[in-house]
């Protein structure tokens, strides 16, 4: 058990959304948090630069062929990601990577405390860089562990994020040649905990998408690098889901 290994269980679907919704119905809503702009997001609630599709006002809805999976039926299931626990140390691992299992309120309360101390914009910038590096490392190790490459690495990443309770991440578009992708976020852990606070609260996730894209591109020998941005959050009025887009860096950013 103490030896690291790469293991998989059958199935890669994410845990039933209704289970998480039922648990979150009991969580405190509209918890106060620091005000301020979020990193790489304009002051406009749902900018026109976001992907086109069925929209209510300025807020985008899932595309017609991508139905909202929320329902009111409570269904329980065991986690679908592999979890190993070292008997001697108590360390949790998934696919040979050490993990931490903590209550959602604990994590987000800490997140909000740092945001209030630093300001949302400064904190978001720090998290973008840290998240970028972490996503690169994760994708590199997972691709090696499972023999994945290209878009399969990105989809595996979205699956694992969804299985770990951050929310449900759905890839609506990805083009590695162009360096672009668009991800829809449903059942956000931040929104469940903080409620409709009127701003984009999941900026911690933003750097993950660029880090994943850039690792995949680098593994293919490409020099192209990307930037990610959150364009919408379900924490904003009139929005039911979140969106993140990734685009190529400007030539000035390439250095």
């Amino acid at each position: 058990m103490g030896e690291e290994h790469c293991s998989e269980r059958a199935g890669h679907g994410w845990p039933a959304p209704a289970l998480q919704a039922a648990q979150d119905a009991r969580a405190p809503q509209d918890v106060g948090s620091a005000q301020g702009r979020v990193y790489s997001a304009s002051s406009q609630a749902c900018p026109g630069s976001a992907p086109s599709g069925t929209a209510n006002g300025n807020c985008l809805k899932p595309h017609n062929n991508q139905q909202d999976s929320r329902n009111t039926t409570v269904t329980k299931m065991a986690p679908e990601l592999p979890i190993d626990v070292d008997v001697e140390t108590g360390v949790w691992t998934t696919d040979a990577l050490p993990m931490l299992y903590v209550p959602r309120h604990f994590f987000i309360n800490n997140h909000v405390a740092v945001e209030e101390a630093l300001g949302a914009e400064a904190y978001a910038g720090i998290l973008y860089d840290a998240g970028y590096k972490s996503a690169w490392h994760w994708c590199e190790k997972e691709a090696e562990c499972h023999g994945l490459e290209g878009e399969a690495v990105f989809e595996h990443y979205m699956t694992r994020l969804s299985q770990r309770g951050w929310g449900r991440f759905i890839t609506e578009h990805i083009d590695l040649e162009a360096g672009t992708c668009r991800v829809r976020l449903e059942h956000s852990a931040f929104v469940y905990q903080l409620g409709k606070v009127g701003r984009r609260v999941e900026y911690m996730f933003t750097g993950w998408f660029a880090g994943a894209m850039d690792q995949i591109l680098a593994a293919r020998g490409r020099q192209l690098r990307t930037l990610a941005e959150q364009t919408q959050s379900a924490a904003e009025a009139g929005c039911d889901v979140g969106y993140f887009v990734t685009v190529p860096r400007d030539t000035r950013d390439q250095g």
Side-chain angles (χ1 to χ4, degrees):
M1 186 68 75
E3 181 181 353
E4 289 190 341
H5 63 89
C6 174
S7 61
E8 278 289 0
R9 293 180 182 173
H12 289 286
W14 81 291
L19 171 59
Q20 186 170 347
Q23 294 170 333
D24 294 323
R26 299 189 294 270
Q29 298 298 311
D30 298 314
V31 177
S33 57
Q35 297 300 313
R37 291 167 48 238
V38 297
Y39 187 69
S40 64
S42 69
S43 58
Q44 185 180 2
C46 300
S49 59
S52 59
T54 303
N56 178 12
N58 290 328
C59 290
L60 293 169
K61 304 297 181 182
H63 290 182
N64 290 334
N65 63 340
Q66 294 168 314
Q67 297 299 317
D68 191 332
S69 62
R70 284 171 290 187
N71 60 67
T72 57
T73 303
V74 177
T75 305
K76 295 184 178 181
M77 63 186 295
E80 290 194 297
L81 71 169
I83 299 171
D84 294 310
V85 183
D86 189 295
V87 174
E88 294 183 3
T89 66
V91 173
W92 289 45
T93 58
T94 292
D95 295 340
L97 289 174
M99 308 292 290
L100 295 175
Y101 183 58
V102 300
R104 186 180 64 204
H105 73 271
F106 169 83
F107 177 86
I108 294 183
N109 284 345
N110 279 277
H111 173 89
V112 169
V114 177
E115 182 185 85
E116 290 174 342
L118 300 179
E121 186 171 13
Y123 188 34
I126 294 170
L127 290 178
Y128 185 99
D129 293 339
Y132 178 98
K133 293 176 182 178
S134 296
W136 182 301
H137 176 78
W138 192 95
C139 289
E140 185 174 51
K141 294 300 181 183
E142 289 290 297
E144 182 180 305
C145 179
H146 298 291
L148 302 174
E149 62 179 16
E151 291 183 18
V153 178
F154 193 87
E155 289 303 328
H156 179 58
Y157 188 33
M158 295 302 102
T159 296
R160 282 289 190 254
L161 291 176
S162 299
Q163 290 173 332
R164 296 206 301 261
W166 294 113
R168 187 182 184 190
F169 295 82
I170 301 111
T171 306
E172 289 194 349
H173 160 82
I174 183 169
D175 185 338
L176 293 178
E177 288 302 312
T180 60
C181 74
R182 180 175 66 248
V183 174
R184 185 173 82 247
L185 173 60
E186 299 177 359
H187 308 288
S188 163
F190 281 91
V191 177
Y192 277 142
Q193 190 70 28
L194 300 176
K196 286 280 189 183
V197 294
R199 64 192 184 94
R200 297 169 197 159
V201 294
E202 302 98 341
Y203 53 80
M204 188 188 81
F205 302 157
T206 310
W208 299 356
F209 306 104
M213 288 285 285
D214 288 1
Q215 190 282 322
I216 296 167
L217 290 168
R220 289 184 154 195
R222 297 284 306 281
Q223 297 299 313
L224 178 66
R225 295 295 179 264
T226 64
L227 284 171
E229 176 184 3
Q230 182 175 15
T231 59
Q232 179 176 308
S233 171
E236 296 175 294
C239 298
D240 297 324
V241 298
Y243 274 103
F244 296 85
V245 296
T246 303
V247 297
R249 284 183 179 270
D250 186 89
T251 53
R252 293 169 296 180
D253 297 320
Q254 293 282 7

